[in-house]
Amino acid sequence: MEVYLVGGAVRDALLGIAGGDRDWVVVGQTPQAMRDRGFRAVGRDFPVFLHPQTQEEYALARTERKSGRGHRGFVVDADPSVTLEQDLARRDFTINAIARRPDGTLVDPFGGVADIEARVLRHVGPAFAEDPLRVLRAARFMARFAPLGFRVADETMALMRAMAESGELAELVPERVWQELVRALASKAPSAFLRTLRECGALAVVLPEVDALYGVPQRAEFHPEVDTGVHVELVCDMAAELAPGDDVVGFAALVHDLGKARTPAHVLPRHLGHEHAGLKPLGELCERLKVPVAHRRLAEVACREHLNVHRLAELRDDTVHDLLARCDGFRQPGRIAQLALVCEADKRGRTGHRDDAYPQGPELLRLLEAAAAVRAGDVLAALPEGRTLEGPALGAALRKARIAAIHEARTL
């Protein structure tokens, strides 16, 4: 078979970074010929096969022709006459349109190697505009590669801007938008994802609740960066640093301040009650993108409680207990650990404050541990002989005992 290594594996090797899965292109073969060699077909929309030993993906060289709106509107041709160069021409960016022969030499018809050296993300050709999902892919690649010095080529940004203006981004299915978003949030620089989408006008289409934060002022004594959108960028990057690869924490960091976009103009730059005001736009975003439950629950908790965690030292013992209970922390202590990370990212995601200490995080976990150590069985065991409690009465007694444990832990 005429086989070439393609895509991310080639690109990442040239960048000197660890790559993930390896993808292969097969030229001059038919689906039946692949099956005859023991490959197992897995592609639904075009011919993709798994190698019988390595289980790596081998795709027949193919071309694509636009047949409708959205990222699904394509007709695929995987005829054996399709050349490697034709297959590479349908790809999104030049840095992804490089193939490697078995002898190690490269096939680079669109200058991808030069763009890697220049740190430029550039589209391969005009067919880029046929798939609106590629706008999000560009932003997601920037979330990964901006720390390496990459920028979007001017002509690519102009094309992305035209695509956003065309209205085709509205055709994207929620699952694909969510997939690109979480991959960006798990990258090193989620801020680059937001900035790229905003620069081309796509952020207002796919994440209008986040786009609305830009230009909203905050009090400079607490937020030297002033602009709420810039603050969210800093918080997302700090979350990526504190919890690398954790897109659950990353999503909560992204949406924790959505309520600030709803502050009446005459109140600005103060944001009284923005925590609760953010729950409605958060719910709308989650419904639209079909956000998974784990992401949504932490996001709701972070939106509602982040100011309470910031002022943890000022809260009464019973207020601390009730905060933990509202977050379901006694059943899901991991959620409190994630909340602490989001709150730390919020506090340190401000201009000039990235190196600040955040003692509230470990203190919140310490108080949770003290309270959670008290069980219903402990309360019942402490009752006088012959007495028992159940239902709401047991719940009230357990709450009281846990508040006492929090108080004792704070006096140590």
Side-chain angles (χ1 to χ4, degrees):
M1 290 194 302
E2 190 179 342
V3 178
Y4 302 85
L5 182 67
V6 294
V10 179
R11 176 199 67 221
D12 291 349
L14 293 170
L15 283 167
I17 60 179
D21 296 335
R22 299 194 304 173
D23 295 315
W24 305 84
V25 161
V26 181
V27 177
Q29 297 294 318
T30 64
Q32 186 59 50
M34 296 295 288
R35 287 191 288 268
D36 291 344
R37 291 173 179 265
F39 286 78
R40 180 166 61 89
V42 293
R44 255 190 337 177
D45 302 322
F46 45 83
V48 178
F49 302 83
L50 295 184
H51 191 283
Q53 279 79 48
T54 67
Q55 300 301 302
E56 292 179 331
E57 288 192 358
Y58 284 65
L60 298 186
R62 65 186 189 270
T63 60
E64 295 171 345
R65 177 172 53 83
K66 187 72 168 173
S67 61
R69 288 177 66 83
H71 71 281
R72 290 176 167 174
F74 290 90
V75 173
V76 174
D77 178 13
D79 188 85
S81 64
V82 175
T83 67
L84 174 64
E85 287 73 15
Q86 287 175 314
D87 181 274
L88 295 176
R90 69 172 176 79
R91 296 174 183 265
D92 47 12
F93 304 105
T94 61
I95 65 172
N96 296 330
I98 308 168
R100 192 175 76 196
R101 300 184 181 94
D103 65 5
T105 58
L106 299 177
V107 180
D108 180 23
F110 303 104
V113 173
D115 282 342
I116 285 176
E117 293 172 349
R119 299 298 195 255
V120 174
L121 190 68
R122 190 190 317 275
H123 65 286
V124 169
F128 179 93
E130 296 177 351
D131 185 355
L133 186 66
R134 288 177 168 178
V135 173
L136 272 70
R137 282 175 57 81
R140 191 249 298 170
F141 276 123
M142 286 303 295
R144 183 180 179 194
F145 294 132
L148 299 180
F150 271 81
R151 64 177 181 84
V152 179
D154 292 342
E155 63 269 29
T156 301
M157 182 57 72
L159 184 56
M160 290 164 57
R161 197 171 289 120
M163 293 168 69
E165 292 171 355
S166 75
E168 272 217 52
L169 269 67
E171 304 289 331
L172 292 173
V173 297
E175 292 83 358
R176 296 306 300 273
V177 175
W178 175 251
Q179 184 180 46
E180 296 298 324
L181 174 59
V182 293
R183 293 177 74 179
L185 292 172
S187 300
K188 288 188 176 181
S191 61
F193 176 83
L194 299 175
R195 284 195 300 273
T196 301
L197 289 182
R198 189 158 191 271
E199 186 176 348
C200 71
L203 189 63
V205 180
V206 296
L207 290 172
E209 298 86 356
V210 176
D211 185 72
L213 296 173
Y214 286 87
V216 176
Q218 303 164 107
R219 294 171 63 182
E221 64 267 37
F222 301 119
H223 289 276
E225 69 282 353
V226 179
D227 190 303
T228 305
V230 174
H231 169 58
V232 168
E233 291 179 5
L234 293 170
V235 175
C236 287
D237 283 356
M238 181 55 65
E241 182 177 327
L242 294 172
D246 190 334
D247 52 73
V248 180
V249 169
F251 179 66
L254 173 70
V255 299
H256 79 284
D257 263 351
L258 291 185
K260 288 183 176 178
R262 302 202 168 194
T263 300
H266 71 275
V267 179
L268 296 173
R270 303 178 71 194
H271 292 278
L272 300 176
H274 75 274
E275 321 91 276
H276 292 281
L279 293 174
K280 187 174 188 296
L282 172 60
E284 293 167 353
L285 186 158
C286 289
E287 288 296 319
R288 186 177 69 253
L289 296 187
K290 300 179 175 17
V291 174
V293 172
H295 293 75
R296 180 168 186 164
R297 292 294 174 258
L298 180 64
E300 290 168 344
V301 164
C303 183
R304 188 183 65 233
E305 306 291 353
H306 64 276
L307 289 190
N308 287 328
V309 177
H310 290 339
R311 51 177 181 250
L312 181 64
E314 304 167 21
L315 302 184
R316 299 193 311 266
D317 299 330
D318 60 330
T319 304
V320 172
H321 172 277
D322 293 347
L323 185 160
L324 294 171
R326 279 196 306 274
C327 300
D328 202 17
F330 296 115
R331 291 195 309 164
Q332 300 191 54
R335 181 177 293 168
I336 303 301
Q338 289 180 311
L339 172 62
L341 288 170
V342 177
C343 293
E344 180 174 355
D346 176 35
K347 201 68 171 180
R348 295 173 59 189
R350 308 174 190 213
T351 300
H353 290 272
R354 63 163 286 110
D355 296 322
D356 286 4
Y358 193 70
Q360 296 96 319
E363 176 67 0
L364 183 65
L365 296 180
R366 192 177 72 86
L367 297 179
L368 170 65
E369 183 179 11
V374 180
R375 306 286 181 156
D378 302 322
V379 174
L380 293 173
L383 292 173
E385 187 175 353
R387 188 183 171 198
T388 189
L389 293 171
E390 58 185 24
L394 177 58
L398 179 58
R399 176 178 180 271
K400 182 177 179 181
R402 285 176 166 171
I403 292 170
I406 289 171
H407 179 76
E408 182 178 356
R410 292 176 117 177
T411 59
L412 293 177

Coordinates of all heavy atoms in Angstrom, one line a residue, residues 171-217:
E171 N -25.2 27.4 12.1 CA -25.6 26.0 11.7 C -24.9 25.0 12.5 O -25.2 23.8 12.4 CB -25.3 25.9 10.2 CG -25.9 26.9 9.3 CD -27.4 26.6 9.1 OE1 -27.9 25.5 9.3 OE2 -28.1 27.6 8.9
L172 N -23.9 25.3 13.2 CA -23.1 24.4 14.0 C -23.9 23.7 15.0 O -24.6 24.3 15.8 CB -21.9 25.0 14.7 CG -20.8 25.6 13.7 CD1 -19.7 26.4 14.5 CD2 -20.1 24.4 13.0
V173 N -23.8 22.4 15.1 CA -24.5 21.6 16.1 C -23.9 21.8 17.5 O -22.6 22.0 17.6 CB -24.6 20.1 15.8 CG1 -25.4 19.9 14.5 CG2 -23.2 19.5 15.7
P174 N -24.7 21.9 18.6 CA -24.1 22.2 19.9 C -23.0 21.3 20.3 O -22.0 21.7 20.9 CB -25.3 22.1 20.8 CG -26.5 22.3 19.9 CD -26.1 21.8 18.6
E175 N -23.1 20.0 20.0 CA -22.1 19.0 20.4 C -20.7 19.4 19.9 O -19.7 19.2 20.5 CB -22.5 17.6 20.0 CG -23.7 17.1 20.7 CD -25.1 17.5 20.1 OE1 -25.0 18.3 19.1 OE2 -26.1 17.1 20.7
R176 N -20.7 19.9 18.6 CA -19.4 20.2 18.0 C -18.8 21.5 18.6 O -17.6 21.6 18.8 CB -19.5 20.3 16.5 CG -19.9 19.0 15.8 CD -19.0 17.8 16.1 NE -17.6 18.1 15.8 CZ -17.1 17.8 14.6 NH1 -17.8 17.3 13.6 NH2 -15.8 18.0 14.4
V177 N -19.7 22.4 18.9 CA -19.2 23.7 19.6 C -18.6 23.3 20.9 O -17.5 23.7 21.3 CB -20.3 24.7 19.7 CG1 -19.9 25.9 20.5 CG2 -20.8 25.1 18.3
W178 N -19.4 22.5 21.7 CA -18.9 22.1 23.0 C -17.6 21.3 22.9 O -16.7 21.5 23.7 CB -20.0 21.2 23.7 CG -19.6 20.7 25.0 CD1 -19.3 19.4 25.3 CD2 -19.4 21.4 26.2 NE1 -18.9 19.2 26.6 CE2 -18.9 20.5 27.2 CE3 -19.5 22.8 26.5 CZ2 -18.7 20.9 28.5 CZ3 -19.2 23.1 27.8 CH2 -18.8 22.2 28.8
Q179 N -17.5 20.4 21.9 CA -16.2 19.7 21.8 C -15.0 20.6 21.6 O -14.0 20.4 22.2 CB -16.4 18.7 20.6 CG -15.2 17.7 20.4 CD -15.4 16.8 19.3 OE1 -15.8 17.2 18.2 NE2 -15.1 15.5 19.5
E180 N -15.2 21.6 20.8 CA -14.0 22.5 20.5 C -13.8 23.3 21.8 O -12.6 23.6 22.1 CB -14.3 23.4 19.3 CG -14.4 22.6 18.0 CD -13.1 21.9 17.6 OE1 -12.1 22.5 17.9 OE2 -13.2 20.8 17.0
L181 N -14.8 23.7 22.5 CA -14.7 24.6 23.7 C -13.9 23.8 24.8 O -13.0 24.4 25.3 CB -16.1 25.0 24.2 CG -16.1 25.8 25.5 CD1 -15.3 27.0 25.4 CD2 -17.5 26.1 25.9
V182 N -14.3 22.6 25.1 CA -13.7 21.9 26.2 C -12.2 21.6 25.9 O -11.4 21.6 26.7 CB -14.4 20.6 26.6 CG1 -15.8 21.0 27.2 CG2 -14.6 19.7 25.4
R183 N -11.9 21.3 24.6 CA -10.5 21.1 24.2 C -9.7 22.4 24.4 O -8.6 22.3 24.8 CB -10.5 20.6 22.8 CG -11.1 19.2 22.6 CD -11.0 18.7 21.2 NE -9.7 18.3 20.8 CZ -9.4 17.8 19.6 NH1 -10.3 17.6 18.7 NH2 -8.1 17.5 19.3
A184 N -10.3 23.5 24.1 CA -9.6 24.8 24.3 C -9.4 25.0 25.8 O -8.3 25.5 26.2 CB -10.4 25.9 23.6
L185 N -10.4 24.8 26.6 CA -10.3 25.0 28.0 C -9.3 24.1 28.7 O -8.7 24.5 29.7 CB -11.7 24.8 28.7 CG -12.7 25.9 28.3 CD1 -14.1 25.5 28.9 CD2 -12.4 27.3 28.8
A186 N -9.0 23.0 28.1 CA -8.0 22.0 28.6 C -6.6 22.3 28.1 O -5.7 21.7 28.5 CB -8.4 20.6 28.3
S187 N -6.5 23.4 27.2 CA -5.2 23.7 26.7 C -4.5 24.7 27.6 O -5.1 25.2 28.6 CB -5.4 24.3 25.3 OG -6.0 23.4 24.4
K188 N -3.3 25.1 27.2 CA -2.5 26.0 28.1 C -3.0 27.5 28.1 O -2.8 28.2 29.0 CB -1.0 25.9 27.7 CG -0.3 24.6 28.0 CD 1.2 24.7 27.7 CE 1.8 23.4 28.2 NZ 3.3 23.5 28.0
A189 N -3.6 27.9 27.0 CA -4.0 29.3 26.9 C -5.4 29.5 26.4 O -5.6 29.9 25.2 CB -3.0 30.1 26.0
P190 N -6.4 29.1 27.2 CA -7.8 29.3 26.7 C -8.1 30.8 26.3 O -9.0 31.0 25.5 CB -8.6 28.9 28.0 CG -7.7 28.1 28.8 CD -6.3 28.6 28.5
S191 N -7.3 31.7 26.9 CA -7.6 33.1 26.5 C -7.4 33.4 25.0 O -8.1 34.2 24.4 CB -6.6 34.0 27.3 OG -5.2 33.7 27.0
A192 N -6.4 32.6 24.4 CA -6.2 32.8 23.0 C -7.4 32.3 22.2 O -7.7 32.8 21.1 CB -5.0 32.0 22.6
F193 N -8.1 31.3 22.7 CA -9.3 30.8 22.1 C -10.4 32.0 22.1 O -11.0 32.3 21.0 CB -9.9 29.6 22.8 CG -11.2 29.1 22.4 CD1 -11.3 28.2 21.3 CD2 -12.4 29.4 23.1 CE1 -12.5 27.7 20.9 CE2 -13.6 28.9 22.7 CZ -13.6 28.0 21.6
L194 N -10.6 32.6 23.2 CA -11.6 33.7 23.3 C -11.2 34.9 22.5 O -12.0 35.4 21.8 CB -11.7 34.1 24.8 CG -12.2 33.0 25.8 CD1 -12.2 33.5 27.2 CD2 -13.6 32.5 25.4
R195 N -9.9 35.3 22.5 CA -9.5 36.4 21.7 C -9.6 36.2 20.2 O -10.0 37.1 19.5 CB -8.0 36.8 22.1 CG -7.9 37.5 23.4 CD -6.5 38.1 23.5 NE -5.4 37.2 23.4 CZ -4.9 36.5 24.4 NH1 -5.4 36.7 25.7 NH2 -4.0 35.6 24.3
T196 N -9.3 35.0 19.8 CA -9.4 34.7 18.4 C -10.8 34.7 17.9 O -11.1 35.3 16.8 CB -8.8 33.3 18.1 OG1 -7.4 33.3 18.5 CG2 -8.8 33.0 16.6
L197 N -11.7 34.1 18.7 CA -13.1 34.1 18.3 C -13.7 35.6 18.3 O -14.4 35.9 17.4 CB -13.9 33.2 19.2 CG -13.7 31.7 19.1 CD1 -14.6 31.0 20.0 CD2 -14.0 31.3 17.6
R198 N -13.2 36.3 19.3 CA -13.7 37.7 19.4 C -13.2 38.6 18.2 O -14.0 39.4 17.7 CB -13.4 38.3 20.7 CG -14.1 39.6 21.0 CD -14.2 40.0 22.5 NE -15.1 41.1 22.6 CZ -14.7 42.4 22.6 NH1 -13.4 42.6 22.4 NH2 -15.5 43.3 22.8
E199 N -12.0 38.4 17.9 CA -11.4 39.2 16.8 C -12.1 39.0 15.5 O -12.2 39.9 14.7 CB -9.9 38.9 16.7 CG -9.2 39.8 15.7 CD -7.7 39.5 15.6 OE1 -7.2 38.8 16.5 OE2 -7.0 40.0 14.7
C200 N -12.6 37.7 15.2 CA -13.3 37.5 14.0 C -14.8 37.6 14.1 O -15.5 37.4 13.1 CB -12.9 36.1 13.4 SG -13.6 34.7 14.3
G201 N -15.3 38.0 15.2 CA -16.7 38.2 15.4 C -17.5 36.9 15.7 O -18.7 37.0 15.7
A202 N -16.8 35.8 16.0 CA -17.5 34.5 16.2 C -17.9 34.3 17.6 O -18.8 33.6 17.9 CB -16.6 33.4 15.7
L203 N -17.3 35.0 18.6 CA -17.6 34.8 20.0 C -19.0 35.2 20.3 O -19.7 34.5 21.1 CB -16.6 35.5 20.9 CG -16.7 35.2 22.4 CD1 -16.3 33.8 22.7 CD2 -15.8 36.1 23.2
A204 N -19.5 36.3 19.7 CA -20.8 36.7 19.9 C -21.9 35.7 19.4 O -23.0 35.7 19.8 CB -21.0 38.1 19.2
V205 N -21.5 34.9 18.4 CA -22.4 33.9 17.9 C -22.4 32.6 18.7 O -23.5 32.1 19.0 CB -22.0 33.5 16.4 CG1 -22.9 32.5 15.8 CG2 -21.9 34.8 15.5
V206 N -21.2 32.1 19.1 CA -21.2 30.8 19.7 C -21.2 30.9 21.3 O -21.7 30.0 21.9 CB -20.0 30.0 19.3 CG1 -20.1 29.7 17.8 CG2 -18.7 30.7 19.6
L207 N -20.7 32.0 21.8 CA -20.8 32.2 23.3 C -21.2 33.7 23.6 O -20.4 34.5 24.1 CB -19.4 31.9 23.9 CG -18.9 30.5 23.9 CD1 -17.5 30.4 24.4 CD2 -19.8 29.7 24.9
P208 N -22.4 34.0 23.2 CA -22.8 35.4 23.4 C -22.8 35.9 24.9 O -22.5 37.1 25.2 CB -24.3 35.5 22.9 CG -24.7 34.0 22.9 CD -23.5 33.2 22.7
E209 N -23.0 35.0 25.8 CA -23.0 35.3 27.2 C -21.6 35.7 27.7 O -21.4 36.6 28.6 CB -23.4 34.1 28.1 CG -24.9 33.7 27.8 CD -25.0 32.7 26.7 OE1 -24.0 32.4 26.0 OE2 -26.1 32.2 26.4
V210 N -20.6 35.1 27.1 CA -19.2 35.5 27.4 C -18.8 36.8 26.7 O -18.1 37.7 27.2 CB -18.2 34.3 27.1 CG1 -16.8 34.7 27.3 CG2 -18.6 33.1 27.9
D211 N -19.2 36.8 25.4 CA -18.8 38.0 24.6 C -19.4 39.3 25.3 O -18.8 40.4 25.2 CB -19.4 37.9 23.2 CG -19.0 39.0 22.3 OD1 -17.8 39.1 21.9 OD2 -19.9 39.9 22.0
A212 N -20.5 39.2 25.9 CA -21.2 40.3 26.6 C -20.4 40.9 27.7 O -20.6 42.0 28.2 CB -22.6 40.0 27.1
L213 N -19.4 40.2 28.2 CA -18.6 40.6 29.3 C -17.5 41.6 28.9 O -17.0 42.4 29.7 CB -17.9 39.4 30.0 CG -18.8 38.4 30.7 CD1 -18.0 37.2 31.2 CD2 -19.6 39.1 31.8
Y214 N -17.1 41.6 27.6 CA -16.1 42.6 27.2 C -16.6 44.0 27.2 O -17.8 44.3 26.7 CB -15.6 42.2 25.8 CG -14.7 40.9 25.8 CD1 -15.3 39.7 25.7 CD2 -13.4 41.1 25.9 CE1 -14.5 38.5 25.8 CE2 -12.5 39.9 26.0 CZ -13.1 38.7 25.9 OH -12.3 37.6 25.9
G215 N -15.8 44.9 27.7 CA -16.2 46.3 27.8 C -17.0 46.6 29.0 O -17.3 47.8 29.3
V216 N -17.3 45.6 29.9 CA -18.0 45.9 31.1 C -17.0 46.2 32.2 O -16.1 45.4 32.5 CB -18.8 44.7 31.6 CG1 -19.5 44.9 32.9 CG2 -19.9 44.4 30.5
P217 N -17.0 47.4 32.8 CA -16.0 47.8 33.7 C -16.2 47.2 35.1 O -17.3 46.9 35.5 CB -16.1 49.3 33.8 CG -17.5 49.6 33.5 CD -17.9 48.5 32.5

